[in-house]
Amino acid sequence: MEHSPPKSLQNTHVKLLAFDLLSLTPTPDPTTFSRFGKLLLSRVEILGTITSRDYKPNKFLKFTIDDGTGSVPCLLWLNHLNSPYFSRRDPPTVRLIANVAAGFAAQIKIGVVCRLRGKIGSYRGEVQVTVSDIVIEKDPNVEVLHWLDCVRLARKCYDVVSNLN
Amino acid sequence: MASSAIKSGALVTLPELNPSSQFFEEGASLRVTGKLQEYSVETAIAIIADGSAILKIDTQHLRDLSFRVGSIYQFIGELHIQLDNEAILRARVGRNVDGLDLNLYHQSLQLLRQFKADHMSGTTT
């Protein structure tokens, strides 16, 4: 049987359930992860309840999101004003990015339901999401609708893209 | 990584949570949903109900959550089986979910479980 190369949805924030995200496998490219060896992903959108919070001021906020199918470790960087990575960039822009991140950190509290987008990465061999955007959800039905979105997209899109020859 | 030790609360309905259930296990991490029937400020014990099924919730570790009888709440925590085989959930997370469509929730939960089972067996299509 002929093997087709994996398809890619790397430029999309793919909606995934936690158990699906946590089962992704790394590839030789550290920014890319594989779903069943058939679909390459780099960005994700997840939604769930915040169940832990580890805050290091001016460094990072680590937290976990539980959607009922798994717990996803997430990382929000807060080191923009003292990181050499940002020192060569336009200072007002860096301050703006730092303020946005600080605003996100203030909203992340245990028990709130949060939708987030970010880059898929790994830390000590486990999948971790580096956060780029956060929205706190107030509607109690939003988590259920997210489950249904994820199931529909997996069945009608991700699996279909994976199987295209 | 410390945070990865936080276990996910498995989604379970109160009618499913009986002694013969796979979820009825000491230390099991669960997420339960139900209408608040009783709440004691002295003991911080809440009782939630879904139909005729009820569950005690130990809320002593929860902060910033006000309890109103008749409202719907969702809790994530660990199950403890007492000597009389009565279960109590020691909640570490709780929130008011008034407005949650419980019919949609229960139906979606069945779909979610089917999808997960298919995924685990590698037949998601």
Side-chain angles (χ1 to χ4, degrees):
Chain A
M1 192 173 147
E2 197 177 315
H3 276 287
S4 56
K7 308 298 177 193
S8 171
L9 282 176
Q10 285 169 270
N11 293 323
T12 306
H13 284 98
V14 174
K15 288 186 180 184
L16 284 183
L17 292 164
F19 83 94
D20 203 347
L21 172 60
L22 296 171
S23 67
L24 299 182
T25 51
T27 69
D29 175 356
T31 65
T32 304
F33 286 74
S34 169
R35 187 173 184 267
F36 294 131
K38 294 177 176 178
L39 183 64
L40 298 177
L41 305 173
S42 292
R43 296 162 203 273
V44 72
E45 179 175 321
I46 55 177
L47 188 150
T49 306
I50 308 294
T51 53
S52 75
R53 188 179 194 273
D54 178 15
Y55 177 56
K56 303 284 185 217
N58 301 315
K59 291 182 179 175
F60 58 76
L61 172 66
K62 283 182 182 179
F63 59 97
T64 50
I65 277 198
D66 183 348
D67 71 358
T69 73
S71 267
V72 180
C74 300
L75 176 70
L76 174 65
W77 285 113
L78 300 171
N79 63 347
H80 308 87
L81 298 179
N82 49 26
S83 161
Y85 177 79
F86 287 96
S87 61
R88 291 182 296 274
R89 295 182 62 174
D90 175 45
T93 305
V94 174
R95 275 198 297 276
L96 190 63
I97 295 169
N99 286 342
V100 169
F104 288 155
Q107 295 180 74
I108 297 292
K109 294 174 182 163
I110 290 176
V112 304
V113 171
C114 160
R115 181 189 300 275
L116 72 79
R117 288 180 165 189
K119 290 181 184 168
I120 309 168
S122 72
Y123 182 72
R124 295 183 178 168
E126 289 182 19
V127 168
Q128 175 179 273
V129 175
T130 302
V131 176
S132 50
D133 195 19
I134 285 172
V135 175
I136 301 301
E137 298 282 3
K138 299 287 186 192
D139 183 341
N141 292 295
V142 77
E143 205 170 10
V144 176
L145 299 175
H146 179 74
W147 298 343
L148 297 176
D149 263 350
C150 289
V151 170
R152 181 179 54 82
L153 285 165
R155 291 192 195 280
K156 305 288 186 194
C157 180
Y158 312 149
D159 294 340
V160 174
V161 171
S162 303
N163 293 327
L164 286 176
N165 287 320
Chain B
M1 174 176 182
S3 59
S4 64
I6 304 294
K7 286 171 70 181
S8 173
L11 298 158
V12 60
T13 64
L14 297 189
E16 291 171 327
L17 199 56
N18 55 63
S20 59
S21 158
Q22 56 167 322
F23 300 108
F24 199 88
E25 189 178 286
E26 176 66 25
S29 294
L30 302 176
R31 183 195 298 213
V32 295
T33 305
K35 186 179 281 190
L36 186 66
Q37 211 171 56
E38 286 179 43
Y39 178 71
S40 162
V41 177
E42 289 78 21
T43 61
I45 300 291
I47 298 178
I48 58 168
D50 181 355
S52 60
I54 61 167
L55 180 67
K56 278 187 182 175
I57 311 287
D58 179 350
T59 67
Q60 65 174 310
H61 298 300
L62 302 183
R63 298 284 178 271
D64 304 325
L65 184 63
S66 57
F67 292 93
R68 195 167 51 235
V69 170
S71 282
I72 304 173
Y73 290 86
Q74 193 164 70
F75 297 99
I76 301 173
E78 279 61 48
L79 195 71
H80 288 270
I81 316 289
Q82 297 170 323
L83 290 176
D84 56 1
N85 216 29
E86 189 183 24
I88 183 165
L89 188 88
R90 288 191 185 149
R92 51 185 157 83
V93 176
R95 66 184 181 115
N96 180 305
V97 290
D98 279 339
L100 178 68
D101 183 333
L102 284 169
N103 282 332
L104 178 67
Y105 181 82
H106 289 139
Q107 288 181 47
S108 302
L109 182 53
Q110 298 311 315
L111 283 173
L112 188 66
R113 286 177 176 162
Q114 184 59 54
F115 173 70
K116 194 173 177 182
D118 292 347
H119 186 284
M120 295 305 190
S121 64
T123 58
T124 56
T125 49

